[in-house]
Amino acid sequence: MTAAIAQTDPRDIAPPPAPSALMAGRDPVALFLDLDGVLAPIEARPDDVVPDPRRTRLLDRVVEALDGRVAVLSGRSISDVDRILERRIVAVAGVHGLERRATDGRVDSVGAEADVALAAESLGAALAEAMAAGVQLENKGVGVAIHYRNAPDRGPEVRHAATVEARARGLHLQPGHMVVELKGGDTDKGRALATFLTEAPFAGARPVMIGDDRTDEAAFRAAEAAGGFGILVDPRWVSAARYSLPDTGAVAAWLAGFAEGVR
């Protein structure tokens, strides 16, 4: 029987150990990173997040320092992650694990694209008025996201429409921070992390997951179960993450600790 993962109150959550201390440990470290809210600040629209040369250089150095043991686990599609990170990270799980690219470049996809396309069309009609008020519909192929960050008062309407459509199409509902997603398969970031840990160069490493949303909780639990831990950015709820960082700037500064010895 698997032991329960302890939950950490956001008032008590501490900063993570220094990268130098982790790298001096017995086991090699592997980093698993969310993108929005972790590597990049959250913007009003998903397309507003763009490449950043400083972030790209930092990722190059971190990947080198960890011998390639860096993966991104995002709600975005793999192609969108590549656009923002300039394809610096090969190992990527997109759409909360519905897409996954291994370090050898192989891409696996689990979804129901036809059902997702029908759901996106139906939601576009049902939420036309809400979209005029700022709600955004994002079709990712294997999933569709409805963002209401720019129209928070439309949240109940969005959640209701998404719930009705998910039941009608047999899709999986994935609530997030100011977003609801319908997915064509039953998977999550925790399963994606666990799969990466069975493959080179991640096998045998101590996983560290950094996320900022409730959709990252499965990955926090998976990291803890594999002998690692989670780091929650901007903690606002009781979490399975053991440590915290306040914002994306603090994440960048912490990651820089892995790259200090790389020139």
Side-chain angles (χ1 to χ4, degrees):
M1 183 174 180
T2 304
I5 303 298
Q7 301 285 296
T8 305
D9 190 294
R11 296 169 298 180
D12 302 327
I13 197 164
S20 57
L22 294 175
M23 294 181 74
R26 181 184 61 185
D27 297 322
V29 174
L31 289 180
F32 296 89
L33 311 169
D34 191 6
L35 200 165
D36 296 278
V38 173
L39 290 175
I42 294 175
E43 301 290 354
R45 300 180 303 172
D47 289 347
D48 290 341
V49 182
V50 297
D52 181 329
R54 292 173 298 179
R55 178 176 59 228
T56 299
R57 289 193 296 269
L58 174 60
L59 288 175
D60 282 341
R61 294 168 63 201
V62 173
V63 169
E64 183 179 353
L66 295 179
D67 296 325
R69 296 186 303 276
V70 182
V72 169
L73 312 182
S74 177
R76 291 180 181 265
S77 65
I78 291 176
S79 62
D80 211 20
V81 171
D82 286 346
R83 172 184 67 84
I84 296 166
L85 302 184
E86 301 183 279
R87 215 179 190 279
R88 286 313 200 271
I89 307 298
V90 178
V92 178
V95 199
H96 306 285
L98 291 182
E99 302 175 330
R100 198 182 68 86
R101 184 175 66 207
T103 52
D104 62 5
R106 184 186 72 255
V107 177
D108 297 320
S109 178
V110 179
E113 287 85 347
D115 290 332
V116 169
L118 290 171
E121 182 179 355
S122 181
L123 286 166
L127 296 172
E129 184 179 333
M131 291 170 67
V135 168
Q136 299 170 58
L137 199 69
E138 182 187 8
N139 190 345
K140 305 175 185 180
V142 292
V144 58
I146 312 105
H147 302 268
Y148 54 93
R149 181 177 303 279
N150 297 327
D153 58 310
R154 298 284 186 163
E157 179 184 354
V158 167
R159 292 191 294 270
H160 174 73
T163 300
V164 169
E165 196 62 30
R167 288 173 179 168
R169 307 284 179 193
L171 300 173
H172 297 272
L173 203 63
Q174 175 81 68
H177 184 53
M178 308 299 281
V179 62
V180 179
E181 300 197 37
L182 280 71
K183 305 188 302 180
D186 183 18
T187 189
D188 56 38
K189 293 182 181 181
R191 296 182 191 180
L193 187 152
T195 301
F196 277 125
L197 288 177
T198 67
E199 303 170 345
F202 301 98
R206 184 185 187 193
V208 175
M209 171 66 193
I210 310 181
D212 76 311
D213 202 331
R214 294 184 188 276
T215 59
D216 297 307
E217 289 293 330
F220 294 151
R221 292 191 293 271
E224 189 79 29
F229 56 83
I231 302 173
L232 177 61
V233 180
D234 186 21
R236 288 154 284 159
W237 58 79
V238 174
S239 174
R242 200 188 309 179
Y243 303 108
S244 75
L245 289 167
D247 50 38
T248 56
V251 172
W254 189 78
L255 291 176
F258 287 101
E260 284 181 354
V262 180
R263 298 289 180 263

